[in-house]
Amino acid sequence: MDIDDIAPVFHLGEALFTSDLYPSLYRIWDEWEVIGFYNTDPEYCLVAEADTHVAGFVLGTIISKAPWVYGYINWLGVHPDYQRRGVADKLVDKLIERMIEEGARFMLVDTDPANTPAVKFFTRKGFGNPRRHVFFSLNLTKHEIYGRLIAYERDRSERLTYRRPRRR
């Protein structure tokens, strides 16, 4: 991945990782995901190109927790026009190769259990020992404190907005 790939990767991820499809993602896809990984782990940010377009990408990182070094796939996305053509296979294979060269002894990845294609893909790639995570969420906009804060801010704004100009 190079700097010119940041915007296309972001836009592809924006189309793939929507809150409509995955409302319980514990991480939200935004431009800082791409920029952050590119700045900290550029050797684990890979793109696949087809016809001068980004066909897919993988963003990964290395986690060192003595005595182990773990490779972690944070994001993997393939444009719908290029899915089921081996793009994800090549990206993951290259990422694994780079992580082994860095001393990683273990690879981690997580996905929504309802994302059946991803579960099948990672199982086929040799990932195993799946664990189901339970994520809870609380909509804070429905909490009474949130309502009081909004009312306070609205009242404060009205007080500041409707002040009469001082006469000189």
Side-chain angles (χ1 to χ4, degrees):
M1 178 184 231
D2 63 38
I3 198 159
D4 293 331
D5 295 320
I6 290 175
V9 165
F10 167 68
H11 292 300
L12 176 55
E14 194 175 41
L16 296 172
F17 308 123
T18 67
S19 60
D20 293 339
L21 289 174
Y22 305 108
S24 64
L25 276 178
Y26 63 95
R27 295 175 61 165
I28 302 300
W29 179 259
D30 63 21
E31 65 275 9
W32 298 110
E33 289 293 304
V34 183
I35 293 168
F37 283 108
Y38 182 75
N39 283 331
T40 60
D41 294 300
E43 63 275 27
Y44 308 121
C45 296
L46 308 175
V47 295
E49 293 182 341
D51 305 320
T52 71
H53 300 305
V54 171
F57 66 89
V58 63
L59 305 177
T61 191
I62 289 278
I63 303 166
S64 294
K65 294 207 177 205
W68 291 79
V69 177
Y70 299 88
Y72 187 78
I73 297 174
N74 299 83
W75 296 98
L76 173 64
V78 176
H79 190 283
D81 292 345
Y82 298 99
Q83 289 176 0
R84 305 191 68 77
R85 293 186 182 186
V87 172
D89 281 301
K90 289 177 183 163
L91 287 166
V92 170
D93 290 346
K94 186 64 174 177
L95 183 65
I96 288 171
E97 179 184 318
R98 287 193 179 178
M99 291 186 169
I100 289 170
E101 290 169 357
E102 277 299 310
R105 296 177 61 191
F106 203 81
M107 285 287 294
L108 302 169
V109 66
D110 60 71
T111 189
D112 188 312
N115 187 347
T116 304
V119 171
K120 287 180 179 179
F121 171 77
F122 288 115
T123 301
R124 184 174 55 77
K125 294 302 289 178
F127 289 80
N129 199 20
R131 298 280 187 259
R132 294 209 183 263
H133 296 275
V134 177
F135 293 98
F136 292 96
S137 63
L138 174 62
N139 185 343
L140 295 178
T141 62
K142 297 182 189 271
H143 196 279
E144 67 178 75
I145 293 172
Y146 187 88
R148 289 194 308 245
L149 177 64
I150 295 299
Y152 170 81
E153 291 295 330
R154 185 180 54 244
D155 292 346
R156 181 173 177 256
S157 174
E158 288 173 0
R159 285 192 309 271
L160 294 174
T161 303
Y162 294 111
R163 282 191 174 167
R164 292 182 187 174
R166 292 185 182 182
R167 294 183 182 180
R168 294 186 178 219

